[in-house]
Amino acid sequence: MTNPTDINRPFRILAIAGSIRAGSYNRLLLEAARDLAPTGVEIEIVDTAGLPFYDADLEAVGDPAPVGEFKERVRAADALLIATPEYNGCIPGLLGNALDWASRPYGRAPLSGKPVAILGATPSPRGGARAQAVLRQILAATRCAVVPEPELVVRSAHEQFDAVGMLRDELTRDRLRALLANLVDGVAGTDAADRPAA
Ligand SMILES: Cc1cc2nc3c(=O)[nH]c(=O)nc-3n(C[C@H](O)[C@H](O)[C@H](O)COP(=O)(O)O)c2cc1C
């Protein structure tokens, strides 16, 4: 699969994890996505730990360097892939903060119109579905084009990865492949249903 808008360069996905924990299941999901990405699709995982808290006063005197760099990377990406844990029924502050910065300035935000696919993992039996619902709401407010399906909620995350961090379940791997394919197809304006079966 090549970049639908330019066959001479890869389709670039910027991946954001809502956790900076060593061994984060959500980071592992993004690493799995990188391994399962179709040919011609590059997934780069961005580190958002260095972003200061959003502050309109900081913004007014010019984005701090890490913010400017992060926003530029969001802007340059063909699409985003966001993996979120769930904290108290919501997305973590770390992720909310990154999205707040990328939603600015109003009317010219890097997030505006950006195609996005979301997924998430938690050790609980509910897998963080509430956080994903909140994330969809935020991305709608920031005018992103969120891939509607498949929903990828990884439950009991502590049982889903092997000793080297590989995603075990073949069905989950298939859903992740489908999510990435739908993200790329959404940008290309093609319908996944039109794609010949593999
Ligand atoms: C402050 C806090 C609140 C949490 N709230 C929830 C929750 O509401 N639902 C849930 O499924 N897990 C909850 N958890 C557990 C996280 O989902 C779990 O730590 C997860 O592994 C974090 O993602 P990571 O593995 O990518 O770091 C919470 C964890 C923390 C630290």
Side-chain angles (χ1 to χ4, degrees), residues 19 21 23-27 85-89 121-124 127-128 130:
S19 168
R21 183 178 75 83
S24 157
Y25 300 123
N26 289 279
R27 165 91 191 194
E86 181 170 288
Y87 282 5
N88 302 316
T122 81
S124 91
R130 291 177 301 174

Side-chain angles (χ1 to χ4, degrees), residues 76-141:
D78 295 305
L80 303 181
L81 179 67
I82 303 178
T84 187
E86 181 170 288
Y87 282 5
N88 302 316
C90 193
I91 65 167
L94 176 91
L95 177 57
N97 186 52
L99 296 175
D100 286 346
W101 278 116
S103 72
R104 302 284 301 164
Y106 185 76
R108 285 184 295 114
L111 276 185
S112 190
K114 191 65 67 179
V116 185
I118 70 172
L119 69 170
T122 81
S124 91
R126 290 199 295 192
R130 291 177 301 174
Q132 288 199 43
V134 172
L135 182 57
R136 278 183 199 278
Q137 219 176 323
I138 293 168
L139 294 172

Side-chain angles (χ1 to χ4, degrees), residues 27-50:
R27 165 91 191 194
L28 289 178
L29 273 185
L30 296 182
E31 288 173 6
R34 205 166 47 187
D35 294 343
L36 297 171
T39 310
V41 174
E42 277 182 11
I43 298 183
E44 190 187 6
I45 303 173
V46 66
D47 183 3
T48 56

